Amino acid sequence: MATKEAIQGAAAAALIFGAGLSAAPSPAAADAAPYGLTVITDRGGIRGVAEEGVRRFRGIPYAKPPVGGLRWRLPQEPAAWQGVRQAKAPGPSCPQTGELAGHSSEDCLYLNVTAPAAGPGKLPVVVWLHGGGFSSGSGADYDPARMVKGGRVVVVTVNSRLGVFGFFGHPDLPDSGTYGLADQQAALRWVRGNITAFGGDPSRVLLAGESSGGISVCGQLASPAAAGLFQRAAIQSGSCKPDWTGELSAPGDGASQLWIDRQTLQRRGRTAAKLLPKPPKCADAESLACLRGVSAKSLLALNGPFHSPAFHTPLVPQAPWTSFAKGRFTKVPVIEGATRDEHTLFAALFDLKDEAAYRAQLAKAFGAAKAVRIAAEYPVSRYRSPALAFAAVGTDFTAACPAAHEARLLAEHVPVYAYEFADPNPPGPDLGMPLAAYHGSELLSLFDMGQSYRELKPAQRTLAAQMIRYWTDFAATGDPNARGLPKWEKFDGDSALSLAPGAISPTDYTKNHNCRFWATLE
């Protein structure tokens, strides 16, 4: 799915409009006061910086560098250090192509903590998992200062292994396809052991993520090893739907698996060396030892086949949707939702000039028989263009209805709060068609990404402040309802809270997105 990786990476880039203390030190007592700029962790002292009314601690190692013999191994505890480590700059992003490639390294298992400048401790904690198709992005892309100040929380953004480094599989690797997820759990263990020193409460941790970050949250809910590491979860535009049909997210894009079973992945990895560019090339295509010796830059050529997390593994014993259906998951309150127009960002890539092109593309994606039914349900005449009709199909099929189905499964066991981000005109890239509430557009309300916040109009800034209150109240109590905000009812199987500037209100989510039609089509 190399094409889709590129699309998701481009989408992320478009949003960034501009971006046991055995060897512990003993800093000066005054400098190491609680919630100051020098903090003692279980590995040693770190010193952050004060910026914009918050304290920032960047580039904190939460595991040993997964290099050399630690490539494709579970994350290991980081080494302790002497003295005070400077925590002023983020660590490198994990190996990837695209805009962040020049700042990436296999030595990438770092996290960033942003905390209020002062005030009482024991604040709720938000651990954020970034998106990017499991092949791009970095925790440092997301500036949580507004969330920290507006919601009185501590926010932790995380790097975890991506692509072939995080999700490679091979018969000789029992943890195939789960190294990136294991990294996230290591970061959560770090939070449990250290966040008190930053003013956070390890018993009130919200694990949240968008796109592949949301899919990661699904995996952590289904992973017994993650139980107790977080107490609330937020899945944003990242349901655990098993797969996507081809020719829907990008022209020529094949069908993709969002999750893959371990045996299939390991068979794929057995001959992965044959796919390497020349040079290098392993003489024995099945040699794991040879692959461990290949440079990180060369291994990126294998990202396409290896960017899906695996189940039937020690970390994720069952597919997440199976775990949810059987009630075998970590029972915590959940926020689940998507944007109203998820697929516009992808539909803009297709050349759909007229109805004939639209119908032909539907046939490529769904087959001739289903395409006829879909075209009747989503006629071009109902939309401003064939591309917007195709976007509605993609939104409902890939995002909205899977999210509703997943929320329904979860709601049988835990409180679920469903939402739809519905801003009709958020800042975004110019792709030649109206994007409306495109994939990832809600992120601009929760985080600063480059110059994005400056692009928000006053009503959008008000919505952003309201959303931050919903999310951070949820982190604090497991219930997003805060005094003075419109009531957010628990999910009842159909309804969700529509989030738009000046218009927060309940909406019939499954009706709006034709979910009953899609249930008959499967």
Side-chain angles (χ1 to χ4, degrees):
M1 198 172 68
T3 303
K4 187 172 179 183
E5 290 177 52
I7 300 307
Q8 290 173 317
L15 287 172
I16 304 173
F17 297 102
L21 193 59
S22 57
S26 299
D31 205 24
Y35 321 135
L37 291 180
T38 299
V39 172
I40 306 301
T41 75
D42 62 0
R43 301 290 96 182
I46 59 172
R47 182 160 182 86
V49 295
E51 293 179 2
E52 302 173 359
V54 298
R55 295 173 298 130
R56 299 184 189 271
F57 304 85
R58 301 181 175 104
I60 304 171
Y62 67 86
K64 285 183 179 178
V67 300
L70 295 184
R71 179 186 282 176
W72 301 318
R73 306 267 189 209
L74 294 178
Q76 306 293 307
E77 288 276 350
W81 58 84
Q82 297 286 343
V84 177
R85 180 187 180 107
Q86 295 299 310
K88 298 180 180 180
S93 60
C94 291
Q96 57 193 272
T97 58
E99 291 192 8
L100 293 180
H103 304 282
S104 67
S105 167
E106 272 193 274
D107 178 5
C108 64
L109 299 187
Y110 298 91
L111 54 78
N112 313 294
V113 177
T114 307
K122 304 292 281 186
L123 296 174
V125 179
V126 178
V127 176
W128 179 256
L129 305 179
H130 70 80
F134 289 114
S135 56
S136 66
S138 167
D141 294 343
Y142 304 81
D143 181 352
R146 280 189 294 115
M147 183 182 290
V148 168
K149 291 184 288 187
R152 297 299 297 170
V153 293
V154 177
V155 178
V156 181
T157 61
V158 179
N159 286 358
S160 54
R161 280 174 282 184
L162 304 169
V164 66
F165 302 92
F167 303 101
F168 181 66
H170 190 279
D172 294 334
L173 293 174
D175 299 295
S176 290
T178 60
Y179 300 105
L181 298 179
D183 294 343
Q184 295 164 7
Q185 291 186 7
L188 286 166
R189 289 192 295 272
W190 183 94
V191 168
R192 182 176 61 186
N194 292 284
I195 206 64
T196 301
F198 298 84
D201 183 352
S203 70
R204 293 191 293 167
V205 174
L206 165 61
L207 180 64
E210 185 268 346
S211 195
S212 59
I215 297 170
S216 296
V217 176
C218 286
Q220 301 302 351
L221 283 167
S223 174
L229 295 178
F230 57 97
Q231 291 74 41
R232 308 75 163 91
I235 304 169
Q236 300 178 213
S237 299
S239 79
C240 288
K241 182 179 172 66
D243 52 50
W244 284 9
T245 183
E247 290 287 349
L248 196 59
S249 297
D253 199 18
S256 62
Q257 295 172 290
L258 300 188
W259 288 85
I260 188 169
D261 70 274
R262 181 175 66 170
Q263 288 187 339
T264 299
L265 182 68
Q266 289 177 331
R267 286 195 298 269
R268 187 179 293 176
R270 186 184 291 276
T271 57
K274 292 181 179 179
L275 303 176
L276 288 172
K278 299 179 182 180
K281 187 172 179 64
C282 296
D284 178 0
E286 297 186 15
S287 171
L288 181 62
C290 175
L291 287 170
R292 276 212 168 100
V294 172
S295 71
K297 183 177 181 180
S298 295
L299 271 182
L300 285 172
L302 300 181
N303 261 11
F306 301 104
H307 62 266
S308 299
F311 57 91
H312 293 157
T313 61
L315 202 74
V316 186
Q318 291 183 306
W321 58 92
T322 301
S323 295
F324 296 165
K326 294 182 177 181
R328 297 175 181 172
F329 62 93
T330 296
K331 306 297 195 304
V332 298
V334 176
I335 284 177
E336 169 114 21
T339 66
R340 187 186 60 192
D341 309 287
E342 286 276 348
H343 214 68
T344 52
L345 201 63
F346 306 100
L349 303 172
F350 292 83
D351 186 16
L352 302 175
K353 295 181 179 179
D354 52 32
E355 183 171 356
Y358 167 64
R359 287 177 174 269
Q361 192 60 42
L362 288 179
K364 288 181 181 179
F366 296 97
K370 289 183 178 180
V372 172
R373 292 185 60 193
I374 295 169
E377 194 72 22
Y378 295 79
V380 169
S381 60
R382 188 185 297 162
Y383 302 90
R384 292 169 58 185
S385 70
L388 288 174
F390 192 67
V393 169
T395 293
D396 295 353
F397 174 72
T398 66
C401 296
H405 176 67
E406 190 166 280
R408 200 170 291 116
L409 293 177
L410 293 167
E412 293 183 9
H413 305 277
V414 299
V416 174
Y417 297 88
Y419 76 90
E420 176 176 72
F421 182 76
D423 185 344
N425 191 33
D430 182 2
L431 298 182
M433 63 176 274
L435 297 180
Y438 59 90
H439 179 69
S441 55
E442 90 283 11
L443 297 175
L444 306 183
S445 295
L446 300 174
F447 299 97
D448 288 347
M449 304 178 73
Q451 302 298 314
S452 61
Y453 188 64
R454 297 181 185 179
E455 302 289 328
L456 296 182
K457 295 179 173 62
Q460 292 171 323
R461 292 191 177 198
T462 298
L463 175 65
Q466 291 170 317
M467 288 177 59
I468 283 172
R469 287 186 63 199
Y470 278 130
W471 261 247
T472 55
D473 266 50
F474 183 72
T477 67
D479 184 334
N481 289 288
R483 187 168 55 187
L485 292 179
K487 178 72 173 177
W488 189 347
E489 300 287 355
K490 293 179 185 176
F491 184 63
D492 63 2
D494 293 303
S495 67
L497 191 68
S498 176
L499 299 165
I504 297 178
S505 62
T507 188
D508 191 330
Y509 191 74
T510 56
K511 180 180 179 181
N512 294 347
H513 292 285
N514 252 350
C515 295
R516 287 174 178 79
F517 165 76
W518 288 104
T520 68
L521 200 70
E522 293 180 356

